[in-house]
Amino acid sequence: MGDDVARHEFTREDRTRYRTKVRRCLDVFARMLRESRFEFERPMTGLEIELNLVDEQGDPAMRNAEALEAIADPDFVTELGQWNLEINVAPRQLAGGGITAFEETVRSSLNEAEHKAREVGAHMTMIGILPTLRAEHMAIDALSVNPRYALLNEQVLAARGEDLQIGIDGIERLNMTADSIVPEAACTSTQLHLQVSPDQFADYWNAAQTIAGVQVAVGANSPFLLGKELWRETRIALFQQSTDTRGDELKEQGVRPRVWFGERWITSIFDLFEENVRYFPALLPIVDPEDPLQVIDRGDTPSLSELRLHNGTVYRWNRPVYDVVKDKPHLRVENRTLPAGPTVVDTLANAAFYYGLVRVLAESERPLWSQMSFSAAEENFLAGAKNGMDAQVYWPGLGTVPVAELVLRRLLPMAYEGLDRWGVDPRERDRLLGVVEQRCLTGVNGATWQSRAFHRHYDNTSLDRVEALRLMLRTYRDLMHSNEPVHSWPIT
C-alpha cells in the first residue's frame, strides 16, 4: 500500500481482469524462480519505522500533512492516520558498521524532523500504540488525506459488509465497534527487511516464524489502547481485528484473516505468493498495462505489479517481498512483528537480535521447524503478545520455559554467533545485544515501563486515567530522546 492509488470505483470486469492478470504474474514468478533470475550476491538489510505525532499535552496531533511539509525529507512519508508518519531508511549491509550507520541515520533524521515538526505544534514519538488515543480519534476524518487510504477503507468495509468489531481481553477488557479502518492507524511498527536468495528464502522465513513469539515478548511496547490496559503488545490483536474482512460466519467457516501468522512451514517463497492468490480476493483490483510474459521473454525484468499489490494487502507478520531495483529483481523477508520504539538504540537492539538469531537458525543443520509444530510457533506468538516479558514459550529440547530464561540461556549466544557471521563489528554486537540481555535480566521492556509509570501516577495520586496516561507519555517522550535503553529508565 505504499504506492499512490487514484482510482475509486471497481467493476466486475476489473475484478475478472485482475484475477487473470495476478495469476499470470504468479506463473511468470514461478518461471523466474526456475531460471534463477534474482540478485542475492550482496544481501542488503532495510529498516522502516512508523511514528506518532503528539501535541504538548501528549495527545495525538492530527497534523501529518503539515509536519511532512515542514520536515521536507523524502525519507519521511505519510501513513494511515493523520497522527502517523513513517521513516524509510536506505538499505545497507550489516558488515562494516552497517548497524551503527542505521542508528546514526535514524537518530539524525528524527532529531531534525522533531525540530521542524515543532514548528507546526507536533512532536515525534516512537511507541507501539499511543496510550492517549481516545474514541473521538477513531473517526473516519482521522484518515490521512492520501486517496489510497480512503480507497482501502472503502474496500475493506465493502468486503466485510458490516462495521468492524474489536474485542480484546487482557488485564482489562475492551469492546468497541468501528465504522472505518482508522483503529489500524493506532498500530505503529518497526519493519526489518532482509534480502535472501530464492534457495534460502524458505529457511529464513521459517526461522523468522519460529522466533516471532520471542521477538514480540522481548520487544513489547503497546500495553494501552483507548485508556485500557490490555496485552503487553496489544498491537498484534488490534491490527488483525481492524483490517478483518470476515464477518462471524466466514470466521466460523475457517476463512483466513488478512492479518495472518500463516498455517504451515514452507519449502519455497512460491508457497506464500500462491497462498495469497488462492485464499484472498483482491481488495484493490488495479491492472497494470505491462504484460509480464512479454517482458520476461525479451530478457527484461517484469514489475509483477498485480502480484506485488495483492501481496501488500495480505498482512503476514513475516511477509515475502518481490522487488526490482535498477532493473534487478530480488527477494526479501519483511519482519513486521515488532512495535516502534521505545528508543532508537532499543530499535536497533531488536534488529541486531533478529538478524543474528535468524541467520543461525536458517543455517542450522537440523532446522528448528523440523522439531516443533507450526501451531506451537503461533501459540508462542500469541503468548509473547499477551504477556510480554512474563511469557512462557515452548522451545524444542527445553519444553515450556520463561521467555527471558530462553533468551539468556539459549538464544543470545546464537544471536552473537549470527552477527559474527554477518561480519558485524564485535563492539556493535556487544553493545546492542547487551541491551536485550539487560531487558531479560531486569524484566523491563517498553510495555513494562509504560505500565509501571502509569500505575505510579494513577494508583498513588489524584490524577484520573486520562491525565495519568498523558503524564506517562510526556515522560516517555523525553526519555525517548535521551536514547538511553528503556530498561534503564527511571519510574518517575
Side-chain angles (χ1 to χ4, degrees), residues 89-322:
V89 186
R92 52 178 45 90
Q93 292 183 293
L94 294 178
I99 295 183
T100 296
F102 271 134
E103 183 178 355
E104 292 173 349
T105 298
V106 174
R107 285 197 68 190
S108 175
S109 296
L110 285 179
N111 288 340
E112 182 67 16
E114 166 71 11
H115 176 72
K116 293 179 178 178
R118 287 179 184 174
E119 299 171 5
V120 297
H123 298 272
M124 300 284 182
T125 306
M126 293 194 302
I127 196 166
I129 295 176
L130 265 184
T132 53
L133 284 167
R134 299 187 298 278
E136 58 262 36
H137 300 124
M138 297 292 105
I140 184 67
D141 59 5
L143 281 176
S144 291
V145 295
N146 191 308
R148 72 176 183 261
Y149 299 121
L151 182 58
L152 182 63
N153 177 74
E154 173 190 310
Q155 295 301 308
V156 168
L157 293 179
R160 182 176 172 84
E162 57 186 272
D163 287 349
L164 294 162
Q165 302 292 326
I166 296 174
I168 304 174
D169 274 317
I171 296 173
E172 299 176 287
R173 176 166 177 77
L174 173 71
N175 276 304
M176 66 173 290
T177 300
D179 61 1
S180 74
I181 62 169
V182 170
E184 181 192 337
C187 306
T188 42
S189 306
T190 297
Q191 287 119 46
L192 305 174
H193 291 258
L194 177 59
Q195 183 182 344
V196 297
S197 72
D199 290 342
Q200 293 175 307
F201 186 93
D203 290 340
Y204 272 90
W205 188 85
N206 289 338
Q209 292 286 98
T210 64
I211 63 171
V214 176
Q215 273 188 285
V216 76
V218 175
N221 195 30
S222 311
F224 295 100
L225 174 62
L226 301 184
K228 301 283 190 179
E229 187 172 5
L230 302 168
W231 292 9
R232 284 311 187 223
E233 190 49 41
T234 305
R235 181 184 123 267
I236 299 299
L238 177 60
F239 191 43
Q240 177 168 329
Q241 295 180 36
S242 61
T243 56
D244 201 340
T245 57
R246 309 167 303 159
D248 290 342
E249 297 81 6
L250 292 180
K251 293 177 187 177
E252 290 297 325
Q253 294 172 36
V255 173
R256 282 84 171 171
R258 294 192 89 100
V259 176
W260 198 29
F261 189 79
E263 61 190 17
R264 63 187 176 112
W265 306 119
I266 65 169
T267 58
S268 167
I269 186 175
F270 185 82
D271 296 347
L272 301 178
F273 281 110
E274 192 272 337
E275 283 182 347
N276 287 355
V277 173
R278 180 156 45 102
Y279 292 148
F280 300 102
L283 280 183
L284 301 170
I286 300 167
V287 177
D288 189 273
E290 177 188 273
D291 183 335
L293 187 57
Q294 290 182 0
V295 173
I296 197 171
D297 280 345
R298 66 173 182 255
D300 293 331
T301 301
S303 65
L304 304 184
S305 297
E306 292 80 9
L307 191 68
R308 292 163 71 187
L309 179 58
H310 190 58
N311 185 54
T313 63
V314 179
Y315 305 98
R316 295 178 185 269
W317 295 109
N318 284 292
R319 178 189 273 169
V321 176
Y322 167 88

Side-chain angles (χ1 to χ4, degrees), residues 46 213 268 281 286 334 346 368 376 440 451 454 466:
S268 167
I286 300 167
E334 180 189 10
D346 282 301
L368 191 69
C440 293
S451 177
F454 164 75
V466 171

